[in-house]
Amino acid sequence: MPQAVKSIFRFCLGANYVGLRDLTFTKSFSQAGLVYHPKSSPVDVRDVEKLNKFLLESKNLLILSGAGLSTESGIPDYRSKDVGLYDRVNHKPMKHQEFMSSEQSRQRYWARNYVGWKHFVTRSPNLAHKKLFELEKKGKSHWHVTQNVDGLNAKAGIENLTELHGSMYRVVCLNCEHISPREVLQKRFNQLNKNWTTTIDGYGPDADVFLNDEDAKRFIVPPCKNCGGVLKPSVTFFGDTVPIKTVHHVYDQIDKSDAVLVVGSSLQVWSGYRFILRAKNRSIPISAINVGPTRADDLFDIKIDALCTEILNQVEI
């Protein structure tokens, strides 16, 4: 990695000031700010030719994207070497069971999410998102399944989309199941926590930040406006399961495809890996773009070890 430099400054959140203490940055910056994508070798022209041929032969492509698609937009992932959450810090994402287990757990989750939200919502689609949108616009890809909850595929204009794990832009009440925009909850947080301050120790995936648990205990979380129930991001947490209706819908889309392209996913979690097994069992050609190994390396017809933007920038779409 490039030599890191430390920066100490204060971060404004509405009427509140949140101090950043010893937050480590790298010297090189992506368009979105902090660099969280892993190192990769220069793109091999032979890989570009292979992918061009794969896309040319496909008439009904399904795309399966993961966190590696969004790291170049400044959103950290979990597993990338050196820059992923598991390699950088000793922090783990909150699991579904933990969120459900206590009010204090939910208070800690929402305090961290509240602070991270303003950074998260300013992330923009990168070149790879836009290239995948072009595939849809030109009628090349018929469906896009993403494991990401960052909304960047939708921001890029992709319409035929399944957000497999949901979206951070929506909030659901666990009692009455009412869905509301995340931005509305942010305004409620602002009103209830005008005098609340904390210190950020770093950024994690999906609007998460690292802060002192004692500060989180002072954070006020409102209930559902409709029924007073518990509010949760409309996403599938670790330890939870994707709705079976969504799974069957994606299986149907796989069965309609004549090729599958994996973009930026290690496929370590079953929720995405099962769709590659489905495609393989139906003898559907599969290509993948991902830095580092994946769970399905032995199932791919083509595997390209490269950053998503660098390879997609060179293919003929």
Side-chain angles (χ1 to χ4, degrees):
M1 289 181 63
Q3 182 181 358
V5 293
K6 287 188 175 181
S7 177
I8 304 175
F9 59 94
R10 295 185 68 81
F11 182 73
C12 180
L13 247 173
N16 306 324
Y17 284 93
V18 182
L20 273 73
R21 180 185 61 221
D22 296 340
L23 181 59
T24 300
F25 293 153
T26 58
K27 281 186 175 180
S28 59
F29 284 75
S30 68
Q31 178 184 1
L34 306 181
V35 175
Y36 293 110
H37 59 77
K39 286 182 177 180
S40 68
S41 301
V43 173
D44 190 323
V45 65
R46 291 170 294 184
D47 287 335
V48 177
E49 292 171 354
K50 289 178 185 176
L51 189 57
N52 273 331
K53 185 173 185 294
F54 177 82
L55 294 175
L56 182 64
E57 292 175 350
S58 170
K59 304 299 181 185
N60 213 30
L61 178 70
L62 182 136
I63 297 165
L64 173 62
S65 65
L69 176 61
S70 295
T71 53
E72 293 177 85
S73 289
I75 296 179
D77 69 355
Y78 292 100
R79 295 180 176 84
S80 289
K81 182 176 173 53
D82 296 327
V83 294
L85 178 72
Y86 298 152
D87 268 14
R88 286 189 291 122
V89 293
N90 190 31
H91 284 271
K92 302 298 181 186
M94 183 168 290
K95 293 185 176 181
H96 176 75
Q97 294 82 354
E98 184 182 1
F99 184 90
M100 299 297 293
S101 67
S102 70
E103 183 178 349
Q104 185 172 333
S105 295
R106 294 188 288 273
Q107 189 179 33
R108 184 170 70 254
Y109 174 85
W110 280 120
R112 289 163 56 156
N113 184 273
Y114 166 70
V115 175
W117 184 249
K118 281 205 170 182
H119 172 79
F120 185 75
V121 296
T122 60
R123 303 307 90 188
S124 299
N126 58 48
L127 177 74
H129 291 100
K130 295 172 183 177
K131 285 283 188 175
L132 297 178
F133 166 66
E134 287 180 30
L135 280 172
E136 178 185 271
K137 187 177 180 181
K138 293 180 179 180
K140 196 71 175 177
S141 66
H142 80 98
W143 206 261
H144 188 134
V145 181
T146 186
Q147 297 171 285
N148 300 336
V149 297
D150 54 41
L152 293 184
N153 291 295
K155 283 185 179 181
I158 296 170
E159 295 181 351
N160 298 328
L161 176 68
T162 295
E163 294 175 315
L164 191 62
H165 297 149
S167 171
M168 292 297 298
Y169 284 81
R170 299 186 292 271
V171 176
V172 61
C173 172
L174 297 178
N175 182 51
C176 70
E177 299 183 348
H178 177 71
I179 301 290
S180 57
R182 174 62 181 81
E183 196 60 41
V184 171
L185 181 59
Q186 189 74 0
K187 292 177 181 178
R188 296 181 70 192
F189 282 147
N190 285 336
Q191 293 169 356
L192 293 170
N193 295 278
K194 291 180 179 179
N195 298 316
W196 183 78
T197 58
T198 190
T199 301
I200 301 175
D201 291 325
Y203 287 94
D206 305 330
D208 191 18
V209 299
F210 315 133
L211 51 83
N212 191 301
D213 284 349
E214 291 301 313
D215 291 341
K217 291 178 181 178
R218 296 182 288 103
F219 189 74
I220 301 172
V221 180
C224 172
K225 274 190 171 182
N226 283 0
C227 71
V230 171
L231 296 175
K232 175 185 174 291
S234 187
V235 301
T236 301
F237 281 17
F238 282 89
D240 197 3
T241 57
V242 175
I244 192 65
K245 183 178 179 180
T246 301
V247 173
H248 286 307
H249 173 72
V250 176
Y251 279 150
D252 289 343
Q253 300 306 321
I254 291 280
D255 293 347
K256 295 174 184 176
S257 305
D258 64 358
V260 172
L261 176 64
V262 177
V263 183
S265 177
S266 65
L267 298 169
Q268 290 300 320
V269 294
W270 172 249
S271 62
Y273 179 65
R274 60 181 148 197
F275 300 125
I276 300 307
L277 292 178
R278 178 84 166 202
K280 192 66 177 180
N281 288 338
R282 280 156 174 70
S283 300
I284 297 172
I286 312 166
S287 290
I289 306 166
N290 190 69
V291 178
T294 81
R295 185 179 180 180
D297 280 354
D298 61 335
L299 303 179
F300 298 142
D301 296 273
I302 301 170
K303 166 67 188 306
I304 300 173
D305 197 310
L307 291 172
C308 301
T309 56
E310 291 186 357
I311 186 72
L312 288 173
N313 186 42
Q314 298 187 45
V315 297
E316 297 174 4
I317 296 177

